[in-house]
Amino acid sequence: MKYDKIIKWVLVALFVVGAVLSFYGFIVGFESNGNAPVDNMLYCAYAFVGIALLAVLLGVAVIGGINNPKSLLKLGLGCVVIAAVIAVAYVLAPGTPAVGYLGEPVSDQTLKLTDTILNLTYLLCGATLASLIVAWVVSAIRK
């Protein structure tokens, strides 16, 4: 069996599992049973992330390393750059409490992590917009 057929059927299986869990949540109700449907969907999301990381590890690191050993150096450099961007976002995150929040107290670490994720979101959205604009300008100049 070819790899494309395997990938196709794995994607179909993941889609079916995600759809079944979504329908289960809507049928049972997301607020009933102590948030069991939400927990199930989160566990499914964790499994999907694990499968994606495993696929990247297998596809990029192992197969790419066998075909081109220098690609492992590029992969390692990319991981270092990603870790540096996350570290900068973490250092810049203030971790201050939300203004006007009257709910349960939130730990300082949770606030810091939340601000880090917001910083990463803003940074990556800005980088996406900048790359789109640069691509449009370069494309217009080349024509």
Side-chain angles (χ1 to χ4, degrees):
M1 188 182 289
K2 294 187 176 191
Y3 290 119
D4 57 344
K5 288 185 180 182
I6 294 171
I7 291 171
K8 176 183 149 188
W9 287 109
V10 167
L11 288 175
V12 168
L14 291 175
F15 177 75
V16 168
V17 168
V20 166
L21 285 175
S22 296
F23 287 129
Y24 168 72
F26 282 113
I27 290 170
V28 173
F30 289 107
E31 298 297 325
S32 64
N33 298 333
N35 290 329
V38 174
D39 292 341
N40 288 338
M41 291 180 79
L42 285 173
Y43 295 144
C44 182
Y46 298 151
F48 286 176
V49 168
I51 290 169
L53 288 175
L54 185 64
V56 167
L57 180 66
L58 180 66
V60 173
V62 175
I63 296 173
I66 291 171
N67 292 337
N68 184 9
K70 289 185 180 181
S71 68
L72 293 177
L73 182 63
K74 291 179 184 177
L75 178 66
L77 183 64
C79 289
V80 168
V81 168
I82 290 170
V85 169
I86 292 172
V88 167
Y90 183 78
V91 168
L92 293 177
T96 55
V99 176
Y101 178 70
L102 301 174
E104 300 268 336
V106 180
S107 70
D108 292 338
Q109 189 62 30
T110 302
L111 292 171
K112 183 86 168 172
L113 183 62
T114 304
D115 288 345
T116 300
I117 293 170
L118 284 172
N119 284 346
L120 284 172
T121 303
Y122 298 149
L123 177 69
L124 294 176
C125 284
T128 302
L129 288 175
S131 67
L132 285 172
I133 291 170
V134 167
W136 289 332
V137 169
V138 168
S139 175
I141 291 173
R142 287 187 179 171
K143 287 185 178 180

